[in-house]
Amino acid sequence: LSLFIIFLILSCMKCMKEIFINDIISDKLVVEMNNKIEVALIAPNNEKILGGANTDPPLGLAFIAAVAEDSGLANVRLVDLAIPSNKLDKERIGYADIYCLSVFTCGTQWAKGMLNLCKEINPKSIVVVGGSHPTARPDDMIREGFDIVIAGEGEYLFLDIIKQVSNGKKLADLKGQIFKNGVVNNLDKLPWKRAYEMVDLDNYKQM
């Protein structure tokens, strides 16, 4: 009888061990599945670059951010440097795996400074640049050191970059690429409500 009891205890201990190990593996998988990419989209302070008042919210970046967030693959934040703050740009931008800048021709020097700042925050990050100037001169932006250039409509091209990184693509595999021919065929499918929620219209002066 005592041998039977010992056998029963050992069998129970083995079962409990297997359950414990499986729980650990399961928890690890859940953590890995929930490990989203950190994404920061950065809008320039046009008042400093161009002079005059900041009258327009960065809706272009807001739509790109909303589409990226809607995918469920990334934690997305929109940083508008035009909004006054006592914090340094480095603090406001913060850590990200992917940074995205929107640039026009007058803002190219600003963009180069942001490129260096993003790499200082996270040397392994991917810095993406889009906007009117990169669309017109994508090769120039690659030569300036940006990792990826988006030429054209960026909502789904940027999402494609996020998907590739989420699937394991490294910076070395993506560096120097130009993503182009992005077209939004159906504006009704864009997450309009979320895009407008990403900007506080009260922060922008009226013309």
Side-chain angles (χ1 to χ4, degrees):
L1 181 62
S2 60
L3 289 175
F4 175 75
I5 293 174
I6 293 171
F7 174 76
L8 186 61
I9 292 172
L10 291 173
S11 297
C12 291
M13 290 176 64
K14 182 181 179 182
C15 290
M16 290 176 66
K17 182 180 178 182
E18 290 177 352
I19 291 171
F20 179 71
I21 292 173
N22 288 335
D23 284 344
I24 292 174
I25 293 172
S26 177
D27 289 343
K28 183 179 178 183
L29 288 173
V30 169
V31 169
E32 289 178 350
M33 289 175 67
N34 291 333
N35 189 18
K36 295 182 179 180
I37 299 166
E38 294 294 329
V39 173
L41 297 98
I42 308 168
N45 185 345
N46 292 331
E47 189 169 356
K48 285 185 177 180
I49 296 172
L50 296 175
N54 284 303
T55 57
D56 299 320
L59 287 176
L61 280 179
F63 275 101
I64 293 173
V67 169
E69 184 181 79
D70 195 50
S71 72
L73 297 173
N75 295 317
V76 183
R77 64 184 184 277
L78 175 59
V79 182
D80 188 358
L81 297 178
I83 298 174
S85 173
N86 293 324
K87 294 182 179 180
L88 298 173
D89 286 351
K90 186 175 181 178
E91 295 178 84
R92 299 179 68 183
I93 293 166
Y95 177 91
D97 300 301
I98 303 176
Y99 296 98
C100 181
L101 313 177
S102 180
V103 186
F104 39 76
T105 302
C106 295
T108 52
Q109 291 301 316
W110 167 84
K112 292 176 191 176
M114 283 295 109
L115 167 63
N116 293 332
L117 184 59
C118 292
K119 291 295 186 180
E120 181 183 331
I121 297 170
N122 180 11
K124 295 182 179 180
S125 65
I126 296 172
V127 181
V128 181
V129 65
S132 58
H133 186 80
T135 295
R137 307 295 294 269
D139 293 318
D140 289 351
M141 302 308 284
I142 292 294
R143 283 192 289 270
E144 292 290 351
F146 292 93
D147 297 316
I148 299 174
V149 174
I150 290 178
E153 301 294 335
E155 285 83 357
Y156 295 107
L157 291 178
F158 187 65
L159 178 58
D160 187 30
I161 295 168
I162 291 175
K163 286 179 177 178
Q164 291 194 40
V165 173
S166 181
N167 289 331
K169 277 283 185 77
K170 304 298 182 184
L171 173 58
D173 302 320
L174 292 167
K175 190 173 178 61
Q177 290 193 34
I178 298 172
F179 285 68
K180 54 186 177 180
N181 299 326
V183 178
V184 179
N185 292 316
N186 189 344
L187 295 177
D188 291 334
K189 288 187 176 181
L190 291 175
W192 286 79
K193 183 175 183 294
R194 182 58 186 138
Y196 274 88
E197 288 174 348
M198 287 190 162
V199 295
D200 185 351
L201 297 179
D202 291 335
N203 287 322
Y204 302 91
K205 302 170 185 175
Q206 298 299 313
M207 295 180 67

